[in-house]
Amino acid sequence: MSKILPVSVAVLLTGMALLPVACSKHDEADKKPKVAKTTDPIKVLSYTQGYQLGSQLPEEIDSKQLAKGIEDGKSHKPARYSEEDIKNAIAAYQKTLEEKAQSLNTKNATFLADNAKKPDIKTTASGLQYQILKEGTGKAPTATSTVKVNYEGKLVDGTVFDSSFKRKEPVDLPLTSTIPGWVEGLPLIKEGGSIMLYVPAKLGYGEHSVGSIPANSVLIFKVDLISVK
């Protein structure tokens, strides 16, 4: 077995979050064309293998080049790139990641510092920033409650990565299965309430990349608490 694939995958694959709020790819999946189904077992298994591989790959991967590599490897053709080519590509990619991470860290730190100065923003001891839009009048959740919510999550640059508002589909979530920022933030309001949460990376996904969310990202959520179960 070639040693190239494990090395490349180790460098390119991003980490998985342990406690996602919800799947952040609902909207993306809805836009994709449906794949025609088949009963041919080889085609079914081939598609499944490709799907499982694709679900683990970062967005930066060039699907066309990936397909060429698979075809060349399957045909036992000589590799198009030497070990030196691969080593140089890995070094260049790592440098790009480091530059992106540094830029993102600067933007996140600046955002939190500026946001904390706003008169309507409060900051907890953990560093969670929040703004209560509506306190609500019903039952308040605890850290172990299951809640029904509508929410939108976005990055500091305004990119929306998930929205139950857009899907018009509130979700039921055990708070213990969500990120720490939610576990701490949702009990600050009651049923019928609404809150903005500004979640530092350490209270979000930390060093893990999740879907379109880069590692070490500050997460901004607007959450409407519908009910507590």
Side-chain angles (χ1 to χ4, degrees):
M1 179 181 292
S2 169
K3 296 182 180 179
I4 296 176
L5 181 57
V7 171
S8 301
V9 170
V11 173
L12 297 178
L13 288 184
T14 53
M16 299 300 291
L18 299 177
L19 301 175
V21 171
C23 178
S24 62
K25 292 189 176 181
H26 285 296
D27 297 335
E28 295 176 14
D30 291 342
K31 297 177 183 178
K32 294 181 180 178
K34 301 297 182 181
V35 177
K37 289 188 175 182
T38 177
T39 57
D40 185 319
I42 296 300
K43 290 184 178 180
V44 171
L45 295 176
S46 296
Y47 173 83
T48 301
Q49 185 74 19
Y51 187 91
Q52 291 175 344
L53 173 62
S55 66
Q56 299 177 62
L57 296 175
E59 293 183 356
E60 292 90 341
I61 286 292
D62 187 317
S63 298
K64 292 182 179 179
Q65 289 297 317
L66 177 65
K68 288 179 181 178
I70 291 174
E71 287 300 320
D72 287 352
K74 182 180 176 182
S75 301
H76 303 288
K77 294 180 179 179
R80 300 188 183 192
Y81 302 101
S82 66
E83 293 288 346
E84 186 66 19
D85 292 333
I86 296 169
K87 180 179 178 180
N88 291 337
I90 290 174
Y93 183 70
Q94 287 177 326
K95 182 178 179 180
T96 298
L97 290 181
E98 291 170 359
E99 291 173 348
K100 286 183 177 180
Q102 184 176 0
S103 175
L104 179 61
N105 289 340
T106 300
K107 289 179 181 179
N108 286 335
T110 300
F111 173 84
L112 288 175
D114 291 343
N115 198 55
K117 297 175 184 177
K118 297 178 181 179
D120 52 349
I121 300 295
K122 297 181 180 179
T123 304
T124 69
S126 70
L128 175 69
Q129 296 180 2
Y130 68 94
Q131 176 188 5
I132 296 178
L133 305 177
K134 182 180 179 182
E135 291 190 1
T137 57
K139 182 179 178 181
T142 66
T144 58
S145 295
T146 294
V147 296
K148 174 172 281 189
V149 295
N150 256 325
Y151 68 92
E152 177 180 88
K154 61 183 180 180
L155 306 177
V156 297
D157 65 0
T159 300
V160 175
F161 57 81
D162 194 12
S163 175
S164 68
F165 291 110
K166 186 175 181 180
R167 294 192 298 274
K168 298 180 180 179
E169 182 184 356
V171 294
D172 292 328
L173 295 170
L175 279 181
T176 53
S177 73
T178 65
I179 58 176
W182 275 51
V183 176
E184 181 181 359
L186 264 294
L188 297 172
I189 57 174
K190 300 177 181 179
E191 291 174 323
S194 181
I195 192 170
M196 293 294 302
L197 298 175
Y198 304 90
V199 183
K202 65 179 181 179
L203 300 178
Y205 299 119
E207 297 181 352
H208 298 286
S209 295
V210 181
S212 59
I213 304 173
N216 298 312
S217 289
V218 169
L219 308 176
I220 304 171
F221 291 98
K222 179 182 184 297
V223 187
D224 290 349
L225 178 57
I226 299 172
S227 63
V228 178
K229 299 182 179 181

